[in-house]
Amino acid sequence: MSTAKPGIVWIKQQWRMRENPFPSTGMARIGGEDDRENGLLYEPGVHAEQLREAIEKFILGMSYSGLKFGYLWSVGIVPGDSDARGFGKSVLMQHLARQVNRDFGTWAYREVGLDEEDASEVPICCLLTGFDTANVRSLGAALFAAVEYAVTYSSGGDEKPLAERLRERLVQRVGSDDVRDLVKVVTDQHRSIRGRTLGPPDDKLIVALCEESKEPAVEHLRLVTPMSRSRNGASYMATFLLFAAAAGMKHVLVFCDQLEDLASTTTAKAKRVLEVEKFRDVLVETLPMADMVTMVVTMHPRASLAIGTAWALADLPAFDLTEANRQSTVRLPALRDAAQAAQLLKPYLAAATKDGTVREEGDELFPFTSDAIACLFDRSARKPRDVLRKAHIVVSAAAAENLPRIGLPDVLRFLEPPVPSQTREARIAGVANTIDWSQD
């Protein structure tokens, strides 16, 4: 009779981990409870160069150069491959938004070399939103979701939602925490606008945002119907911007994910054209959006092909990866080597390891050996999502076999069909000879 332990028992007892460290899908679910899938284990060093580039182009461009649209790109590794998902665009945007909101942009400004005086000159904040094929298929619905993010999103611990932090700042500026005093400052902000607007703000939302507890704003947004979210989402955004401006925000960066869902072939061409025109009509031509909002959208070849004509007809800034657009585009590359893949995996392994567990020095990749990581990278599509998915598969398979460690031969066995032993040995030798840990 077999005495092998179930895989999860082996993971917990022998490897001293709470669970399989890696996500089964690798698809970021922003706001979810599972840290493996919600992007909170993002390691900024994996794309450190592109993160700094995003700060320089998107944040400095918004604050000092009048940038209205930025584009975060990924391009397929194989020429002609239009599937450029899984490069980490969503989690990079979430990381940047959280960092900016903690001190209203000071971190970002200082990261690129501005001094303390400059860093406090233009306070900013960030919102996250995105399209999907289920509920958010219009710009209005996407803008409403951005307001929901500001009111409800917190990654736990001591981190407060953005709207609460803005209220604290508003109280400091006004010198009073009386709701009536705060509401008056926000409504005066609307009265000071001299250009074209979408109409009066939502007075109930203003009052809710000025309440000490976040619950009134959460409840107010919860009761908005899906139809009203789509039709009036821009008005909710305009109301929130008045609140942010009253709190001292000069600009608001809106990260918009999954533009491909707006550009999906299941969306009628006429609707795509209409929604793209709203990007211009709402974000560029009406206040306070035109003065305050910069939008950064995700882009890849398939979305570019589907939405390109409508974008050009709306006379919106070009998004192509050309020299002319260099200051408004950032491209996430594929993982460079096994050392970068290891850098991606380490936070997941550390988060899953039980408290009090002692590993040998330099064994942050346990239960993997270093050559196993090199093989995992070699057998992946070089995209973070694919590396994480394959790591999940390998861990599950190795635990089921009760392996003490996961080595290169194990990764080959779990990720490839059986091959003659001579061929497999030759592949093991070939992968081992390619390992370069000089950049780890």
Side-chain angles (χ1 to χ4, degrees):
M1 181 179 293
S2 173
T3 58
K5 295 182 178 180
I8 189 59
V9 175
W10 188 261
I11 287 174
K12 285 179 169 289
Q13 294 182 353
Q14 301 301 316
W15 289 348
R16 298 288 300 164
M17 292 183 173
R18 301 180 184 88
E19 58 196 357
N20 188 320
F22 305 108
S24 59
T25 69
M27 296 180 182
R29 299 196 294 268
I30 306 302
E33 294 294 328
D34 191 340
D35 285 352
R36 294 171 297 180
E37 301 276 8
N38 64 18
L40 294 182
L41 296 178
Y42 172 72
E43 169 50 58
V46 173
H47 283 130
E49 182 180 338
Q50 288 71 36
L51 187 63
R52 182 182 177 89
E53 187 181 358
I55 294 173
E56 292 178 358
K57 293 180 177 179
F58 300 151
I59 293 180
L60 296 189
M62 170 183 70
S63 298
Y64 297 103
S65 299
L67 180 75
K68 288 302 296 180
F69 289 94
Y71 309 99
L72 183 60
W73 268 90
S74 59
V75 177
I77 298 166
V78 179
D81 179 13
S82 63
D83 186 9
R85 295 169 293 183
F87 281 73
K89 298 189 296 295
S90 301
V91 292
L92 184 149
M93 291 194 302
Q94 175 179 244
H95 172 78
L96 194 51
R98 290 180 65 215
Q99 291 295 104
V100 167
N101 288 340
R102 282 172 176 163
D103 58 12
F104 302 114
T106 299
W107 163 82
Y109 295 136
R110 293 179 65 86
E111 192 75 7
V112 294
L114 292 178
D115 59 26
E116 188 68 35
E117 182 180 356
D118 289 328
S120 60
E121 184 180 49
V122 186
I124 60 172
C125 61
C126 287
L127 304 178
L128 274 178
T129 188
F131 293 95
D132 61 51
T133 57
N135 299 303
V136 185
R137 304 187 68 175
S138 68
L139 178 61
L143 294 177
F144 183 90
V147 177
E148 281 188 310
Y149 169 85
V151 169
T152 64
Y153 179 78
S154 170
S155 62
D158 296 331
E159 183 176 310
K160 297 180 180 179
L162 173 61
E164 283 193 56
R165 302 195 67 248
L166 288 173
R167 183 191 181 274
E168 291 174 355
R169 187 180 173 97
L170 178 60
V171 167
Q172 292 175 353
R173 299 189 89 210
V174 175
S176 168
D177 62 358
D178 188 292
V179 173
R180 291 169 297 182
D181 294 336
L182 302 180
V183 169
K184 181 180 184 304
V185 174
V186 178
T187 53
D188 285 347
Q189 192 73 38
H190 174 68
R191 293 191 184 100
S192 69
I193 296 176
R194 293 293 177 262
R196 176 185 165 198
T197 70
L198 291 172
D202 183 332
D203 292 333
K204 291 183 179 179
L205 179 57
I206 292 176
V207 173
L209 290 170
C210 291
E211 295 280 358
E212 183 176 2
S213 169
K214 72 175 184 180
E215 296 309 319
V218 171
E219 183 67 9
H220 180 71
L221 295 179
R222 186 185 68 82
L223 295 175
V224 179
T225 66
M227 182 175 293
S228 182
R229 294 177 183 215
S230 183
R231 289 183 175 178
N232 303 313
S235 294
Y236 285 94
M237 171 60 79
T239 301
F240 174 79
L241 292 177
L242 295 173
F243 173 69
M249 296 301 103
K250 302 297 184 182
H251 299 285
V252 177
L253 184 61
V254 179
F255 285 116
C256 185
D257 199 9
Q258 294 180 228
L259 187 64
E260 64 267 22
D261 286 340
L262 175 64
S264 170
T265 54
T266 60
T267 303
K269 181 180 178 180
K271 179 175 175 57
R272 289 204 303 271
V273 171
L274 177 62
E275 289 302 324
V276 169
E277 287 177 348
K278 289 180 182 178
F279 276 78
R280 178 199 64 219
D281 294 343
V282 172
L283 299 179
V284 179
E285 298 182 353
T286 59
L287 298 171
M289 277 75 74
D291 279 345
M292 294 185 66
V293 170
T294 293
M295 180 170 281
V296 173
V297 300
T298 54
M299 188 63 65
H300 57 71
R302 189 173 64 182
S304 171
L305 184 65
I307 210 166
T309 300
W311 204 263
L313 288 173
D315 198 25
L316 293 169
F319 50 67
D320 306 290
L321 285 170
T322 62
E323 185 63 23
N325 300 330
R326 186 163 58 90
Q327 293 305 313
S328 61
T329 57
V330 173
R331 175 179 173 178
L332 286 190
L335 295 177
R336 179 181 60 252
D337 52 30
Q340 202 174 17
Q343 192 177 20
L344 169 73
L345 299 178
K346 283 179 183 178
Y348 291 85
L349 291 163
T353 300
K354 291 183 178 180
D355 296 338
T357 300
V358 178
R359 305 284 192 207
E360 293 183 12
E361 186 176 352
D363 207 12
E364 300 95 339
L365 295 172
F366 183 89
F368 291 97
T369 61
S370 58
D371 58 355
I373 298 295
C375 186
L376 182 67
F377 171 74
D378 188 60
R379 294 299 177 268
S380 74
R382 297 177 54 208
K383 299 189 291 188
R385 179 182 296 171
D386 196 48
V387 171
L388 291 169
R389 283 176 173 174
K390 284 183 166 58
H392 181 278
I393 292 170
V394 170
V395 166
S396 293
E401 293 189 6
N402 292 183
L403 299 181
R405 296 294 298 261
I406 302 173
L408 188 155
D410 305 313
V411 177
L412 275 178
R413 183 160 53 89
F414 297 140
L415 295 184
E416 288 194 344
V419 295
S421 59
Q422 298 90 339
T423 304
R424 179 160 21 95
E425 290 169 4
R427 292 190 178 190
I428 291 173
V431 171
N433 289 336
T434 66
I435 301 174
D436 177 10
W437 299 100
S438 62
Q439 301 185 50
D440 190 7

